[in-house]
PDB file of all heavy atoms in Angstrom:
ATOM      1  N   ASP O1376      39.119  46.950 -14.569  1.00  0.00           N
ATOM      2  CA  ASP O1376      38.224  46.330 -13.595  1.00  0.00           C
ATOM      3  C   ASP O1376      36.849  46.991 -13.581  1.00  0.00           C
ATOM      4  O   ASP O1376      35.877  46.388 -13.129  1.00  0.00           O
ATOM      5  CB  ASP O1376      38.827  46.416 -12.192  1.00  0.00           C
ATOM      6  CG  ASP O1376      40.008  45.482 -12.047  1.00  0.00           C
ATOM      7  OD1 ASP O1376      40.112  44.562 -12.879  1.00  0.00           O
ATOM      8  OD2 ASP O1376      40.818  45.695 -11.126  1.00  0.00           O
ATOM      9  N   GLU O1377      36.731  48.232 -14.056  1.00  0.00           N
ATOM     10  CA  GLU O1377      35.458  48.906 -13.998  1.00  0.00           C
ATOM     11  C   GLU O1377      34.635  48.675 -15.258  1.00  0.00           C
ATOM     12  O   GLU O1377      33.529  49.196 -15.390  1.00  0.00           O
ATOM     13  CB  GLU O1377      35.682  50.410 -13.811  1.00  0.00           C
ATOM     14  CG  GLU O1377      36.370  50.747 -12.489  1.00  0.00           C
ATOM     15  CD  GLU O1377      36.579  52.239 -12.350  1.00  0.00           C
ATOM     16  OE1 GLU O1377      36.244  52.970 -13.315  1.00  0.00           O
ATOM     17  OE2 GLU O1377      37.061  52.677 -11.289  1.00  0.00           O
ATOM     18  N   THR O1378      35.179  47.903 -16.196  1.00  0.00           N
ATOM     19  CA  THR O1378      34.486  47.678 -17.464  1.00  0.00           C
ATOM     20  C   THR O1378      33.561  46.481 -17.356  1.00  0.00           C
ATOM     21  O   THR O1378      33.911  45.467 -16.780  1.00  0.00           O
ATOM     22  CB  THR O1378      35.497  47.451 -18.595  1.00  0.00           C
ATOM     23  OG1 THR O1378      36.398  48.557 -18.610  1.00  0.00           O
ATOM     24  CG2 THR O1378      34.798  47.368 -19.933  1.00  0.00           C
ATOM     25  N   HIS O1379      32.381  46.591 -17.947  1.00  0.00           N
ATOM     26  CA  HIS O1379      31.407  45.506 -17.959  1.00  0.00           C
ATOM     27  C   HIS O1379      31.422  44.863 -19.347  1.00  0.00           C
ATOM     28  O   HIS O1379      31.197  45.528 -20.352  1.00  0.00           O
ATOM     29  CB  HIS O1379      30.016  46.062 -17.660  1.00  0.00           C
ATOM     30  CG  HIS O1379      28.956  45.016 -17.619  1.00  0.00           C
ATOM     31  ND1 HIS O1379      28.742  44.208 -16.534  1.00  0.00           N
ATOM     32  CD2 HIS O1379      28.046  44.638 -18.555  1.00  0.00           C
ATOM     33  CE1 HIS O1379      27.731  43.391 -16.778  1.00  0.00           C
ATOM     34  NE2 HIS O1379      27.306  43.628 -18.015  1.00  0.00           N
ATOM     35  N   PHE O1380      31.715  43.574 -19.421  1.00  0.00           N
ATOM     36  CA  PHE O1380      31.875  42.882 -20.693  1.00  0.00           C
ATOM     37  C   PHE O1380      30.714  41.939 -20.952  1.00  0.00           C
ATOM     38  O   PHE O1380      30.206  41.295 -20.038  1.00  0.00           O
ATOM     39  CB  PHE O1380      33.171  42.052 -20.707  1.00  0.00           C
ATOM     40  CG  PHE O1380      34.418  42.907 -20.710  1.00  0.00           C
ATOM     41  CD1 PHE O1380      35.185  43.027 -19.573  1.00  0.00           C
ATOM     42  CD2 PHE O1380      34.798  43.564 -21.866  1.00  0.00           C
ATOM     43  CE1 PHE O1380      36.315  43.807 -19.588  1.00  0.00           C
ATOM     44  CE2 PHE O1380      35.932  44.338 -21.876  1.00  0.00           C
ATOM     45  CZ  PHE O1380      36.698  44.461 -20.733  1.00  0.00           C
ATOM     46  N   VAL O1381      30.326  41.863 -22.203  1.00  0.00           N
ATOM     47  CA  VAL O1381      29.393  40.847 -22.669  1.00  0.00           C
ATOM     48  C   VAL O1381      30.155  39.949 -23.614  1.00  0.00           C
ATOM     49  O   VAL O1381      30.641  40.399 -24.646  1.00  0.00           O
ATOM     50  CB  VAL O1381      28.190  41.489 -23.402  1.00  0.00           C
ATOM     51  CG1 VAL O1381      27.271  40.409 -23.934  1.00  0.00           C
ATOM     52  CG2 VAL O1381      27.448  42.422 -22.468  1.00  0.00           C
ATOM     53  N   LEU O1382      30.289  38.698 -23.261  1.00  0.00           N
ATOM     54  CA  LEU O1382      31.075  37.792 -24.087  1.00  0.00           C
ATOM     55  C   LEU O1382      30.389  37.540 -25.416  1.00  0.00           C
ATOM     56  O   LEU O1382      29.177  37.327 -25.455  1.00  0.00           O
ATOM     57  CB  LEU O1382      31.280  36.458 -23.362  1.00  0.00           C
ATOM     58  CG  LEU O1382      32.125  36.530 -22.090  1.00  0.00           C
ATOM     59  CD1 LEU O1382      32.260  35.143 -21.485  1.00  0.00           C
ATOM     60  CD2 LEU O1382      33.487  37.115 -22.364  1.00  0.00           C
ATOM     61  N   PRO O1383      31.122  37.557 -26.535  1.00  0.00           N
ATOM     62  CA  PRO O1383      30.525  37.303 -27.851  1.00  0.00           C
ATOM     63  C   PRO O1383      29.941  35.905 -27.941  1.00  0.00           C
ATOM     64  O   PRO O1383      30.446  34.959 -27.335  1.00  0.00           O
ATOM     65  CB  PRO O1383      31.708  37.460 -28.816  1.00  0.00           C
ATOM     66  CG  PRO O1383      32.729  38.244 -28.044  1.00  0.00           C
ATOM     67  CD  PRO O1383      32.547  37.865 -26.621  1.00  0.00           C
ATOM     68  N   VAL O1384      28.887  35.759 -28.727  1.00  0.00           N
ATOM     69  CA  VAL O1384      28.261  34.461 -28.933  1.00  0.00           C
ATOM     70  C   VAL O1384      29.230  33.543 -29.667  1.00  0.00           C
ATOM     71  O   VAL O1384      29.847  33.933 -30.650  1.00  0.00           O
ATOM     72  CB  VAL O1384      26.965  34.614 -29.760  1.00  0.00           C
ATOM     73  CG1 VAL O1384      26.362  33.252 -30.040  1.00  0.00           C
ATOM     74  CG2 VAL O1384      25.981  35.508 -29.022  1.00  0.00           C
ATOM     75  N   GLY O1385      29.364  32.309 -29.214  1.00  0.00           N
ATOM     76  CA  GLY O1385      30.251  31.342 -29.859  1.00  0.00           C
ATOM     77  C   GLY O1385      31.593  31.200 -29.181  1.00  0.00           C
ATOM     78  O   GLY O1385      32.348  30.288 -29.504  1.00  0.00           O
ATOM     79  N   PHE O1386      31.945  32.083 -28.249  1.00  0.00           N
ATOM     80  CA  PHE O1386      33.213  31.967 -27.533  1.00  0.00           C
ATOM     81  C   PHE O1386      33.012  31.152 -26.261  1.00  0.00           C
ATOM     82  O   PHE O1386      32.077  31.392 -25.493  1.00  0.00           O
ATOM     83  CB  PHE O1386      33.766  33.350 -27.174  1.00  0.00           C
ATOM     84  CG  PHE O1386      34.390  34.051 -28.324  1.00  0.00           C
ATOM     85  CD1 PHE O1386      33.629  34.829 -29.185  1.00  0.00           C
ATOM     86  CD2 PHE O1386      35.746  33.932 -28.579  1.00  0.00           C
ATOM     87  CE1 PHE O1386      34.193  35.482 -30.253  1.00  0.00           C
ATOM     88  CE2 PHE O1386      36.317  34.576 -29.646  1.00  0.00           C
ATOM     89  CZ  PHE O1386      35.537  35.356 -30.490  1.00  0.00           C
ATOM     90  N   ASN O1387      33.896  30.209 -26.068  1.00  0.00           N
ATOM     91  CA  ASN O1387      33.824  29.323 -24.914  1.00  0.00           C
ATOM     92  C   ASN O1387      34.679  29.900 -23.801  1.00  0.00           C
ATOM     93  O   ASN O1387      35.895  29.964 -23.917  1.00  0.00           O
ATOM     94  CB  ASN O1387      34.337  27.934 -25.311  1.00  0.00           C
ATOM     95  CG  ASN O1387      34.134  26.916 -24.194  1.00  0.00           C
ATOM     96  OD1 ASN O1387      33.860  27.274 -23.054  1.00  0.00           O
ATOM     97  ND2 ASN O1387      34.264  25.644 -24.544  1.00  0.00           N
ATOM     98  N   PRO O1388      34.090  30.340 -22.693  1.00  0.00           N
ATOM     99  CA  PRO O1388      34.866  30.971 -21.622  1.00  0.00           C
ATOM    100  C   PRO O1388      35.761  30.001 -20.873  1.00  0.00           C
ATOM    101  O   PRO O1388      36.631  30.417 -20.121  1.00  0.00           O
ATOM    102  CB  PRO O1388      33.782  31.553 -20.706  1.00  0.00           C
ATOM    103  CG  PRO O1388      32.592  30.693 -20.944  1.00  0.00           C
ATOM    104  CD  PRO O1388      32.650  30.307 -22.387  1.00  0.00           C
ATOM    105  N   LEU O1389      35.574  28.682 -21.049  1.00  0.00           N
ATOM    106  CA  LEU O1389      36.400  27.716 -20.324  1.00  0.00           C
ATOM    107  C   LEU O1389      37.843  27.731 -20.812  1.00  0.00           C
ATOM    108  O   LEU O1389      38.780  27.622 -20.035  1.00  0.00           O
ATOM    109  CB  LEU O1389      35.800  26.314 -20.457  1.00  0.00           C
ATOM    110  CG  LEU O1389      34.403  26.132 -19.855  1.00  0.00           C
ATOM    111  CD1 LEU O1389      33.912  24.714 -20.110  1.00  0.00           C
ATOM    112  CD2 LEU O1389      34.434  26.427 -18.356  1.00  0.00           C
ATOM    113  N   ASN O1390      38.033  27.825 -22.112  1.00  0.00           N
ATOM    114  CA  ASN O1390      39.409  27.854 -22.623  1.00  0.00           C
ATOM    115  C   ASN O1390      39.629  29.011 -23.588  1.00  0.00           C
ATOM    116  O   ASN O1390      40.668  29.104 -24.220  1.00  0.00           O
ATOM    117  CB  ASN O1390      39.756  26.525 -23.316  1.00  0.00           C
ATOM    118  CG  ASN O1390      38.701  26.145 -24.335  1.00  0.00           C
ATOM    119  OD1 ASN O1390      37.867  26.956 -24.718  1.00  0.00           O
ATOM    120  ND2 ASN O1390      38.750  24.903 -24.775  1.00  0.00           N
ATOM    121  N   CYS O1391      38.621  29.865 -23.723  1.00  0.00           N
ATOM    122  CA  CYS O1391      38.758  31.103 -24.474  1.00  0.00           C
ATOM    123  C   CYS O1391      39.187  30.873 -25.908  1.00  0.00           C
ATOM    124  O   CYS O1391      40.239  31.304 -26.336  1.00  0.00           O
ATOM    125  CB  CYS O1391      39.751  32.026 -23.773  1.00  0.00           C
ATOM    126  SG  CYS O1391      39.608  33.746 -24.308  1.00  0.00           S
ATOM    127  N   HIS O1392      38.390  30.166 -26.682  1.00  0.00           N
ATOM    128  CA  HIS O1392      38.646  30.022 -28.107  1.00  0.00           C
ATOM    129  C   HIS O1392      37.319  30.143 -28.842  1.00  0.00           C
ATOM    130  O   HIS O1392      36.258  30.164 -28.234  1.00  0.00           O
ATOM    131  CB  HIS O1392      39.324  28.690 -28.425  1.00  0.00           C
ATOM    132  CG  HIS O1392      38.442  27.499 -28.192  1.00  0.00           C
ATOM    133  ND1 HIS O1392      37.609  26.981 -29.148  1.00  0.00           N
ATOM    134  CD2 HIS O1392      38.267  26.736 -27.081  1.00  0.00           C
ATOM    135  CE1 HIS O1392      36.959  25.935 -28.655  1.00  0.00           C
ATOM    136  NE2 HIS O1392      37.330  25.766 -27.410  1.00  0.00           N
ATOM    137  N   ALA O1393      37.406  30.270 -30.146  1.00  0.00           N
ATOM    138  CA  ALA O1393      36.210  30.518 -30.947  1.00  0.00           C
ATOM    139  C   ALA O1393      35.857  29.283 -31.748  1.00  0.00           C
ATOM    140  O   ALA O1393      36.298  29.132 -32.874  1.00  0.00           O
ATOM    141  CB  ALA O1393      36.440  31.701 -31.869  1.00  0.00           C
ATOM    142  N   PRO O1394      35.053  28.364 -31.222  1.00  0.00           N
ATOM    143  CA  PRO O1394      34.757  27.127 -31.935  1.00  0.00           C
ATOM    144  C   PRO O1394      33.916  27.333 -33.182  1.00  0.00           C
ATOM    145  O   PRO O1394      33.886  26.497 -34.052  1.00  0.00           O
ATOM    146  CB  PRO O1394      34.000  26.298 -30.892  1.00  0.00           C
ATOM    147  CG  PRO O1394      33.405  27.305 -29.970  1.00  0.00           C
ATOM    148  CD  PRO O1394      34.385  28.428 -29.913  1.00  0.00           C
ATOM    149  N   SER O1395      33.194  28.453 -33.284  1.00  0.00           N
ATOM    150  CA  SER O1395      32.334  28.676 -34.440  1.00  0.00           C
ATOM    151  C   SER O1395      33.031  29.433 -35.559  1.00  0.00           C
ATOM    152  O   SER O1395      32.438  29.677 -36.596  1.00  0.00           O
ATOM    153  CB  SER O1395      31.081  29.459 -34.017  1.00  0.00           C
ATOM    154  OG  SER O1395      31.449  30.735 -33.520  1.00  0.00           O
ATOM    155  N   ASP O1396      34.272  29.836 -35.363  1.00  0.00           N
ATOM    156  CA  ASP O1396      34.998  30.595 -36.368  1.00  0.00           C
ATOM    157  C   ASP O1396      36.342  29.934 -36.604  1.00  0.00           C
ATOM    158  O   ASP O1396      37.155  29.810 -35.695  1.00  0.00           O
ATOM    159  CB  ASP O1396      35.203  32.042 -35.897  1.00  0.00           C
ATOM    160  CG  ASP O1396      35.601  32.948 -37.034  1.00  0.00           C
ATOM    161  OD1 ASP O1396      36.512  32.568 -37.791  1.00  0.00           O
ATOM    162  OD2 ASP O1396      35.008  34.028 -37.173  1.00  0.00           O
ATOM    163  N   GLU O1397      36.576  29.501 -37.859  1.00  0.00           N
ATOM    164  CA  GLU O1397      37.791  28.745 -38.165  1.00  0.00           C
ATOM    165  C   GLU O1397      39.014  29.622 -38.309  1.00  0.00           C
ATOM    166  O   GLU O1397      40.143  29.142 -38.257  1.00  0.00           O
ATOM    167  CB  GLU O1397      37.597  27.950 -39.467  1.00  0.00           C
ATOM    168  CG  GLU O1397      36.469  26.938 -39.439  1.00  0.00           C
ATOM    169  CD  GLU O1397      35.146  27.570 -39.808  1.00  0.00           C
ATOM    170  OE1 GLU O1397      35.109  28.796 -40.063  1.00  0.00           O
ATOM    171  OE2 GLU O1397      34.135  26.847 -39.839  1.00  0.00           O
ATOM    172  N   ILE O1398      38.829  30.928 -38.502  1.00  0.00           N
ATOM    173  CA  ILE O1398      39.957  31.810 -38.769  1.00  0.00           C
ATOM    174  C   ILE O1398      40.462  32.483 -37.509  1.00  0.00           C
ATOM    175  O   ILE O1398      41.660  32.657 -37.326  1.00  0.00           O
ATOM    176  CB  ILE O1398      39.553  32.866 -39.817  1.00  0.00           C
ATOM    177  CG1 ILE O1398      39.236  32.175 -41.145  1.00  0.00           C
ATOM    178  CG2 ILE O1398      40.642  33.898 -40.030  1.00  0.00           C
ATOM    179  CD1 ILE O1398      38.786  33.111 -42.232  1.00  0.00           C
ATOM    180  N   SER O1399      39.549  32.861 -36.602  1.00  0.00           N
ATOM    181  CA  SER O1399      39.914  33.666 -35.437  1.00  0.00           C
ATOM    182  C   SER O1399      40.188  32.811 -34.218  1.00  0.00           C
ATOM    183  O   SER O1399      39.843  31.632 -34.151  1.00  0.00           O
ATOM    184  CB  SER O1399      38.788  34.669 -35.132  1.00  0.00           C
ATOM    185  OG  SER O1399      38.520  35.467 -36.246  1.00  0.00           O
ATOM    186  N   SER O1400      40.824  33.458 -33.244  1.00  0.00           N
ATOM    187  CA  SER O1400      41.056  32.857 -31.937  1.00  0.00           C
ATOM    188  C   SER O1400      40.639  33.873 -30.881  1.00  0.00           C
ATOM    189  O   SER O1400      40.156  34.963 -31.199  1.00  0.00           O
ATOM    190  CB  SER O1400      42.522  32.479 -31.755  1.00  0.00           C
ATOM    191  OG  SER O1400      43.332  33.639 -31.721  1.00  0.00           O
ATOM    192  N   CYS O1401      40.850  33.527 -29.628  1.00  0.00           N
ATOM    193  CA  CYS O1401      40.502  34.452 -28.558  1.00  0.00           C
ATOM    194  C   CYS O1401      41.329  35.719 -28.635  1.00  0.00           C
ATOM    195  O   CYS O1401      40.836  36.819 -28.397  1.00  0.00           O
ATOM    196  CB  CYS O1401      40.729  33.769 -27.208  1.00  0.00           C
ATOM    197  SG  CYS O1401      40.510  34.855 -25.780  1.00  0.00           S
ATOM    198  N   LYS O1402      42.573  35.600 -29.049  1.00  0.00           N
ATOM    199  CA  LYS O1402      43.487  36.745 -29.019  1.00  0.00           C
ATOM    200  C   LYS O1402      43.536  37.528 -30.318  1.00  0.00           C
ATOM    201  O   LYS O1402      43.837  38.717 -30.305  1.00  0.00           O
ATOM    202  CB  LYS O1402      44.895  36.269 -28.666  1.00  0.00           C
ATOM    203  CG  LYS O1402      45.042  35.744 -27.249  1.00  0.00           C
ATOM    204  CD  LYS O1402      46.487  35.405 -26.948  1.00  0.00           C
ATOM    205  CE  LYS O1402      46.665  34.946 -25.508  1.00  0.00           C
ATOM    206  NZ  LYS O1402      48.084  34.647 -25.196  1.00  0.00           N
ATOM    207  N   ALA O1403      43.290  36.873 -31.446  1.00  0.00           N
ATOM    208  CA  ALA O1403      43.527  37.548 -32.726  1.00  0.00           C
ATOM    209  C   ALA O1403      42.465  37.182 -33.751  1.00  0.00           C
ATOM    210  O   ALA O1403      41.879  36.099 -33.704  1.00  0.00           O
ATOM    211  CB  ALA O1403      44.911  37.181 -33.266  1.00  0.00           C
ATOM    212  N   MET O1404      42.229  38.100 -34.666  1.00  0.00           N
ATOM    213  CA  MET O1404      41.305  37.832 -35.755  1.00  0.00           C
ATOM    214  C   MET O1404      41.837  36.732 -36.658  1.00  0.00           C
ATOM    215  O   MET O1404      41.093  35.859 -37.105  1.00  0.00           O
ATOM    216  CB  MET O1404      41.065  39.101 -36.576  1.00  0.00           C
ATOM    217  CG  MET O1404      40.115  38.900 -37.746  1.00  0.00           C
ATOM    218  SD  MET O1404      39.952  40.367 -38.777  1.00  0.00           S
ATOM    219  CE  MET O1404      39.212  41.489 -37.608  1.00  0.00           C
TER     220      MET O1404
END
């Protein structure tokens, strides 16, 4: 809770997936 996060560019916070990367997902490379 004390950590400050900057979300990576290209990740959609609504459903947490990587639309700009065909190989990776929110959870795994």
